[in-house]
Amino acid sequence: MEKIKLTLFEDKFGVGGIETFIYNICSHLDREKYDIRIVVVNKITNYYDDLLKSLGVRLIVLVPKIELNPLKRFKMGLPAFNDYLKKEENMCDIMHFNLSDAIDLLYVKVARKNGVKRRVVHSHNTSATSLSKKIVHYIGKIFLDKEPNYYLACSSQAAKWLFPKKVYRQKDYLFVRNAIDANKYKFNETIRKSVRKKYKWNNNVIYGEVARFNKQKNHKFLLEIFQQILRRQPSAKLVLVGEGELLPDLKKQVSEIGLSNSVIFLGVSNNVPNLLQAFDVFMLPSLYEGLPFVLVESQAASLPALVSDSVTKEVDLTNYLTYFSLKSSPTDWAKMALRLSKQARHGDSILDNTGFNINVMVKTLDDFYNDILN
């Protein structure tokens, strides 16, 4: 039987929730049934190179030169995508676009003009970092909303952000959960002790975050919170895992405010499940989110998490998640974080009945792909 040709598209491929979702598709869909390739405009990390190669998934980068300015990236990316589609005629049965805002629907338009019949748009976000980006988003939403012919969303807020009003109101989209292999994250005291010994954290209370360093994640406010934590808990450490365009600025800020001995930048890690065992509190004061993978992971690890009230309630799966207002002061956030650091953790499989199981998610996608093919 001829394989289903599936193309997964993303504009800027780094290390984050969308990339985790794409990798999960590649690693769990039946490879005897699917021929998968990933097409991206820019690739800003090599983290997934070997993993994808081992799966036999081809990663195609349209613009090798990294361009962080989104307008300049569009100027290079759109013609490059058009050229790619012309050269790769009949190379895909389904093109699955993973998007954060409506301006990216321009790529869907290019796909339609090049004869891609099944154009699936998957919304992964709920807002933008600036007024200008929001304006561009809503303009794109008005003029480009007819370009997709199938819709997926990680949450109802993400659907409302990107999809036409009619699609959202009639729920003419499929909710695809940001699922994980929960067994990899289940709390294990032995792993916790081993990781804490490795990093010499045995006598510290560890506040951690796994996130891309961009404006959305609100790291400046996180540092203000941590300053207040340190005043009350001098043994505390803030461990930041990830990469992103604001990382150099954040390192400079940490140095300037005298926190270099207390804030640890671990970079990108392939050992997030074990790091979550070692943390005491997870922090995510984001300005906005779609449905963050990392909070599903933290809850699977029975790790208390303090998150902003801008995060969708659809990720609230356990009693390990605490929402807090961004209008509250750093001091109030710090007091709540200190309280959570004393919360007990258990090694139960607490996500088994929540629907955030990777096998359930992949079956949902497999059924969806087959439905639109038929």
Side-chain angles (χ1 to χ4, degrees):
M1 185 177 70
E2 187 175 352
K3 290 185 178 182
I4 297 169
K5 299 181 181 69
L6 172 66
T7 297
L8 304 169
F9 177 92
E10 188 186 7
D11 171 29
K12 188 174 65 173
F13 193 82
V15 178
I18 296 178
E19 293 81 7
T20 300
F21 173 78
I22 289 173
Y23 175 72
N24 281 342
I25 293 177
C26 295
S27 59
H28 286 81
L29 274 179
D30 183 355
R31 302 309 312 286
E32 296 298 318
K33 183 176 178 180
Y34 289 91
D35 178 10
I36 306 174
R37 65 176 63 185
I38 302 169
V39 175
V40 302
V41 178
N42 263 182
K43 180 168 76 77
I44 59 175
T45 181
N46 297 322
Y47 176 77
Y48 286 102
D49 288 4
D50 290 340
L51 294 172
L52 294 173
K53 186 177 180 180
S54 69
L55 294 172
V57 174
R58 186 180 173 196
L59 175 61
I60 298 160
V61 181
L62 300 175
V63 180
K65 178 186 176 183
I66 296 175
E67 179 52 70
L68 298 180
N69 184 300
L71 293 178
K72 291 181 179 179
R73 194 164 61 246
F74 267 117
K75 189 176 180 180
M76 295 184 290
L78 286 172
F81 186 51
N82 186 63
D83 291 344
Y84 165 75
L85 291 175
K86 289 186 181 302
K87 293 175 184 175
E88 301 285 343
E89 188 177 1
N90 299 322
M91 48 63 67
C92 102
D93 299 308
I94 301 169
M95 188 163 284
H96 183 155
F97 292 86
N98 295 277
L99 307 183
S100 295
D101 52 59
I103 192 63
D104 284 341
L105 291 171
L106 284 168
Y107 290 106
V108 186
K109 182 176 182 178
V110 171
R112 177 183 61 78
K113 287 188 171 182
N114 279 278
V116 177
K117 294 181 180 180
R118 300 169 190 87
R119 303 174 302 279
V120 180
V121 164
H122 193 157
S123 180
H124 290 272
N125 218 338
T126 60
S127 190
T129 53
S130 67
L131 179 59
S132 60
K133 286 184 178 180
K134 288 180 181 179
I135 291 171
V136 171
H137 164 77
Y138 285 112
I139 292 172
K141 191 173 176 179
I142 292 169
F143 290 101
L144 300 168
D145 66 346
K146 300 295 191 298
E147 300 300 337
N149 46 13
Y150 300 98
Y151 301 88
L152 307 176
C154 65
S155 68
S156 58
Q157 289 182 25
K160 185 176 183 180
W161 166 249
L162 186 61
F163 300 159
K165 287 183 179 179
K166 184 177 180 181
V167 171
Y168 173 69
R169 288 172 179 168
Q170 295 182 0
K171 295 188 177 180
D172 192 18
Y173 62 90
L174 182 65
F175 179 34
V176 178
R177 297 181 186 275
N178 286 351
I180 64 169
D181 183 350
N183 289 329
K184 290 183 179 180
Y185 295 86
K186 189 163 65 171
F187 180 65
N188 184 301
E189 185 68 42
T190 301
I191 294 175
R192 173 178 167 83
K193 289 178 179 178
S194 175
V195 176
R196 290 175 70 90
K197 181 179 179 180
K198 173 184 175 181
Y199 289 105
K200 299 179 181 178
W201 293 341
N202 288 329
N203 298 318
N204 304 109
V205 180
I206 304 299
Y207 298 84
E209 184 192 54
V210 181
R212 183 173 290 154
F213 291 99
N214 60 18
K215 186 175 180 181
Q216 171 185 346
K217 302 302 180 181
N218 207 10
H219 284 96
K220 182 179 178 181
F221 185 58
L222 177 57
L223 288 181
E224 292 174 1
I225 297 168
F226 185 63
Q227 281 183 296
Q228 297 301 319
I229 290 174
L230 270 180
R231 291 181 179 179
R232 296 161 175 78
Q233 197 174 55
S235 66
K237 299 282 187 184
L238 177 62
V239 177
L240 302 175
V241 182
E243 63 181 9
E245 59 268 25
L246 295 184
L247 179 56
D249 293 340
L250 195 67
K251 285 184 174 180
K252 182 180 178 182
Q253 183 184 353
V254 166
S255 177
E256 289 175 347
I257 61 180
L259 292 182
S260 296
N261 292 327
S262 300
V263 178
I264 301 167
F265 294 92
L266 279 189
V268 175
S269 174
N270 59 3
N271 202 24
V272 169
N274 286 0
L275 286 173
L276 294 178
Q277 309 294 324
F279 292 173
D280 294 292
V281 180
F282 192 88
M283 307 286 288
L284 195 71
S286 299
L287 298 174
Y288 57 89
E289 290 282 355
L291 193 151
F293 259 101
V294 72
L295 291 183
V296 181
E297 295 169 344
S298 70
Q299 289 176 92
S302 303
L303 175 62
L306 183 59
V307 307
S308 70
D309 55 0
S310 66
V311 174
T312 176
K313 300 300 186 291
E314 287 168 297
V315 77
D316 188 5
L317 311 173
T318 68
N319 63 351
Y320 288 100
L321 204 62
T322 299
Y323 290 88
F324 219 66
S325 173
L326 285 173
K327 295 179 181 178
S328 296
S329 69
T331 299
D332 289 339
W333 273 75
K335 290 178 179 178
M336 178 55 72
L338 291 167
R339 193 179 308 165
L340 291 179
S341 70
K342 300 177 176 62
Q343 185 174 342
R345 299 170 69 176
H346 305 282
D348 304 327
S349 299
I350 56 180
L351 295 188
D352 281 354
N353 300 316
T354 64
F356 282 79
N357 180 291
I358 186 67
N359 295 317
V360 175
M361 184 272 281
V362 169
K363 186 179 186 307
T364 298
L365 271 180
D366 181 40
D367 290 343
F368 168 74
Y369 290 149
N370 282 279
D371 285 346
I372 67 175
L373 279 169
N374 297 324

